[in-house]
Amino acid sequence: MLKTLSIRDIVVIERLDLSFEDGLCVLTGETGAGKSILLDSLGLALGARAERGLVRPGAERGQVTALFELAATHAVWGLLRDQGLDEGAGDGILILRRMIEADGRTRAFLNDAPIGVGLMREIGDQLVEIHGQHDDRGLLNAGGHRRLLDAFIGADDALAALRRAHGDWDAARGLVSAEQQLLQAIRADEDYLRHSLAELDKLDPVIGEEEVLSARRTLMMQGEKLRGGLGEVLNDLVSDGGADGLLRGAMRRLERMPGTGGEALDGVLTALERASIEAGEAIAQLEEMLARFAFDPREQDATEERLFALRGAARKHHCAVDDLQDLRDQYAARLSALDHSENRLRDLVAAEAKSRQNFEKAALALRQKREKTALSLDRVVNAELAPLKLDKAKFRTRIELLPEEHWTADGGERIEFEVATNPGAPFGPLMKIASGGEQSRFILALKVVLAARGSAPTLIFDEVDRGVGGAVADAVGERLAQLAGSLQVLVVTHSPQVAAAGSHHWHISKRTRKAGRGEEMITEVQALDPSARQEEIARMLAGARITDEARAAAAQLMQR
């Protein structure tokens, strides 16, 4: 609950420190005394929108600090744990502070750690509910009605099951979508892939083939030139008997010469024989080389054609020749994935259909529970209307089935509280159908029914008794006191009957004081003891001139 509220330099509040208790806390005062400023100040600490006009004239900045004491089981600790900000969970103390500079800039703090205003607002929504005629974030906001009905049902388990089913369905839809996109991308290139794969299969590239073919082609081109020169040399060596014939002819003549030369010619004959043998070897090697360079022109043409085909394919696919084999494997894998993806897509679609059925089953179970319990909620809320002078009004919970595109993890229906203020009048949204005073009483009736289930620990009602008096005001006071039995309730009121129902009472007043050469208005808040409470309630009954009769009537009200 809210324990303390400290305000510095906000509008007409210079310095104010308030301590609150549990039970029904009443704030009263003359119109214009500053009650709305007090609530606006608290709103700042809860993340409400800030404006530069909120800073007291002449001050550099304004500041509001709200201290809360919470049970260790309060849901806000889970929120803070997710943000890494749950240091205060041990002692149950949570402090929200908001500073606003004169130029409109603001800063937000949680237990003196800076936080964003959005997070402050989210925290504030779990700590305090402020209900009044301009309540657009509480019961008048249809966006929260489903949550309130589920709290009344006690639907935590069913809602958790529904959200799990929705998460499974959402994940399955994501897998189907991803597979469809992959399949679409493959199909878009299918013709190109199949044509390219057929070409590469026909080409059948081999890694390293280009280097081998290029070397072979170079050898054949060079061999053609060498073969011509070698042929001419060989021809010179073998034509007209050749070098070997000349050498052997010379040897025969020397051998037939008369023997005067004797042993002197042996060396010459040996040299000529050696030369003849080497000449024969040279001729044999030349013939062998000519045979080796005797390439088939068709082979050379085939080599060049193959090399041209490989390099042409590489240019077409913007890769190296040695990468063609890997590219062929990639194309084959993508086409294989096409068939696999089609099979996988069928499996994923079947799984998605099953997860959808599971969600629909869980959603139907929760919807039936909501529809059944909505009748009970309508019955108990309508029972609260007559004592609040709304006996001609009717309340109902409308459950509207939504098309599939609007289904969420919370279900497939829209839930809104509606009212009809007169017999025969059509039902409509609470915010549009009911007047300001009626709205406040409808909200009070709803909170009496719903407070024990899913309510913030602190409720604030701003002039919930507007436009009513007498027995109706008594009923409003009784229900506020009933609420305060389980929650902390703060009520700003002009009704003496409501004020008399309070456990604690503060009086808000405004006075002028000297400031420089002029005067300024400031707001003050005073906690009232029983005697002062009686005097304030008597003032509310009698007006400016308080009579003994008014004091007696006030005492009687306080004894109820």
Side-chain angles (χ1 to χ4, degrees):
M1 69 175 185
L2 176 65
K3 293 295 291 184
T4 64
L5 179 65
S6 298
I7 305 172
R8 301 290 185 270
D9 295 319
I10 298 295
V11 193
V12 294
I13 300 176
E14 179 183 31
R15 182 184 184 92
L16 188 61
D17 295 297
L18 297 176
S19 295
F20 294 96
E21 303 294 336
D22 56 3
L24 179 57
C25 303
V26 174
L27 294 92
T28 63
E30 296 287 354
T31 300
K35 297 184 293 296
S36 62
I37 296 173
L38 195 66
L39 296 184
D40 288 343
S41 298
L42 176 58
L44 282 176
L46 300 175
R49 181 180 177 182
E51 299 178 357
R52 69 175 65 188
L54 290 173
V55 179
R56 190 172 65 87
E60 293 182 358
R61 68 183 59 84
Q63 176 175 291
V64 182
T65 303
L67 184 149
F68 294 86
E69 189 176 89
L70 304 170
T73 56
H74 194 282
V76 76
W77 298 120
L79 170 63
L80 298 183
R81 191 176 303 112
D82 293 341
Q83 301 290 330
L85 297 170
D86 59 334
E87 294 180 2
D91 56 14
I93 300 299
L94 190 151
I95 302 173
L96 292 172
R97 179 162 58 95
R98 185 84 172 276
M99 296 178 64
I100 175 170
E101 304 292 333
D103 60 6
R105 292 180 295 113
T106 72
R107 287 181 290 167
F109 300 87
L110 170 67
N111 294 342
D112 284 332
I115 59 172
V117 174
L119 177 58
M120 173 176 270
R121 184 180 302 112
E122 192 174 352
I123 295 169
D125 286 344
Q126 295 199 34
L127 301 180
V128 178
E129 291 181 21
I130 300 178
H131 299 290
Q133 295 187 58
H134 305 291
D135 175 11
D136 60 352
R137 290 169 57 190
L139 291 172
L140 297 185
N141 183 356
H145 292 174
R146 178 164 53 192
R147 176 182 58 80
L148 293 169
L149 177 61
D150 286 344
F152 184 75
I153 295 172
D156 289 350
D157 292 342
L159 192 57
L162 179 65
R163 288 172 177 168
R164 285 194 300 271
H166 185 272
D168 293 342
W169 181 30
D170 195 50
R173 285 184 292 182
L175 291 174
V176 169
S177 177
E179 196 67 26
Q180 287 174 333
Q181 292 177 15
L182 174 62
L183 188 59
Q184 184 178 5
I186 296 175
R187 281 175 174 165
D189 294 335
E190 182 179 3
D191 290 342
Y192 170 77
L193 289 173
R194 292 196 184 279
H195 176 73
S196 297
L197 181 59
E199 286 185 337
L200 291 173
D201 280 341
K202 183 178 179 180
L203 185 62
D204 192 21
V206 177
I207 296 175
E209 184 180 9
E210 180 188 23
E211 183 179 355
V212 173
L213 290 172
S214 181
R216 181 70 173 164
R217 177 174 175 269
T218 300
L219 182 62
M220 286 189 290
M221 293 176 63
Q222 292 175 348
E224 187 175 354
K225 296 178 182 179
L226 286 172
R227 183 177 173 78
L230 292 174
E232 291 177 357
V233 172
L234 182 61
N235 186 61
D236 290 342
L237 291 173
V238 298
S239 61
D240 298 328
D244 184 60
L246 291 173
L247 290 171
R248 291 194 177 280
M251 289 172 61
R252 285 192 295 271
R253 284 195 297 272
L254 287 173
E255 289 173 348
R256 290 196 296 267
M257 290 179 67
T260 55
E263 295 178 359
L265 294 176
D266 289 345
V268 175
L269 288 170
T270 300
L272 287 173
E273 185 177 6
R274 187 170 57 250
S276 175
I277 294 171
E278 291 180 354
E281 291 178 354
I283 290 169
Q285 289 182 18
L286 283 172
E287 290 175 342
E288 183 182 347
M289 290 183 68
L290 282 170
R292 194 178 348 140
F293 289 126
F295 298 113
D296 186 343
R298 290 174 298 180
E299 180 189 359
Q300 184 172 349
D301 291 343
T303 300
E304 290 184 347
E305 184 178 343
R306 176 68 175 171
L307 195 58
F308 178 81
L310 288 170
R311 289 176 174 173
R315 285 194 300 272
K316 177 179 179 180
H317 294 288
H318 306 288
C319 67
V321 172
D322 281 349
D323 293 334
L324 289 173
Q325 187 182 80
D326 183 57
L327 185 64
R328 179 182 63 177
D329 294 341
Q330 290 180 30
Y331 287 168
R334 291 182 65 182
L335 285 171
S336 176
L338 176 61
D339 297 332
H340 176 72
S341 184
E342 288 175 343
N343 294 332
R344 175 173 166 77
L345 181 59
R346 283 193 293 270
D347 293 341
L348 289 175
V349 168
E352 187 268 337
K354 184 176 181 179
S355 62
R356 173 198 169 104
Q357 291 174 357
N358 292 337
F359 172 78
E360 289 179 330
K361 183 178 179 180
L364 176 61
L366 181 56
R367 181 168 70 247
Q368 291 174 339
K369 194 170 186 179
R370 285 168 170 166
E371 290 172 345
K372 179 179 179 180
T373 309
L375 297 175
S376 300
L377 176 64
D378 296 348
R379 185 171 60 255
V380 292
V381 172
N382 282 312
E384 290 288 331
L385 298 182
L388 295 173
K389 202 178 179 180
L390 293 170
D391 49 302
K392 296 181 180 180
K394 293 293 181 183
F395 171 90
R396 77 175 184 187
T397 304
R398 184 167 68 91
I399 300 178
E400 174 191 0
L401 299 184
L402 297 174
E404 181 178 336
E405 59 266 24
H406 295 297
W407 293 356
T408 70
D410 292 325
E413 55 273 347
R414 182 175 185 271
I415 297 173
E416 184 172 7
F417 299 150
E418 294 184 333
V419 297
T421 54
N422 293 296
F427 280 87
L430 179 58
M431 182 179 287
K432 295 181 179 179
I433 298 298
S435 66
E438 289 172 334
Q439 286 179 6
S440 297
R441 282 176 281 154
F442 272 116
I443 289 171
L444 179 58
L446 280 164
K447 288 311 300 183
V448 168
V449 173
L450 297 171
R453 305 175 184 181
S455 177
T458 298
L459 302 180
I460 298 178
F461 290 91
D462 185 11
E463 299 188 12
V464 68
D465 51 6
R466 180 184 291 267
V468 300
V472 178
D474 274 337
V476 169
E478 289 174 3
R479 278 151 182 78
L480 288 171
Q482 179 181 340
L483 274 175
S486 57
L487 300 167
Q488 182 187 47
V489 179
L490 278 67
V491 57
V492 176
T493 182
H494 289 285
S495 166
Q497 291 92 338
V498 172
S503 306
H504 315 281
H505 195 148
W506 290 264
H507 180 254
I508 304 171
S509 61
K510 187 182 291 186
R511 68 178 179 85
T512 58
R513 69 176 184 183
K514 291 184 178 180
R517 298 181 179 180
E519 293 182 337
E520 66 177 359
M521 190 76 67
I522 61 170
T523 290
E524 296 178 335
V525 180
Q526 180 182 6
L528 304 181
D529 59 21
S531 175
R533 279 191 66 205
Q534 180 181 350
E535 194 72 7
E536 170 62 6
I537 294 171
R539 180 198 64 77
M540 297 171 73
L541 286 167
R545 182 172 177 273
I546 303 174
T547 63
D548 291 338
E549 291 81 0
R551 292 186 178 94
Q556 187 176 4
L557 284 176
M558 292 171 64
Q559 291 174 2
R560 290 183 182 179

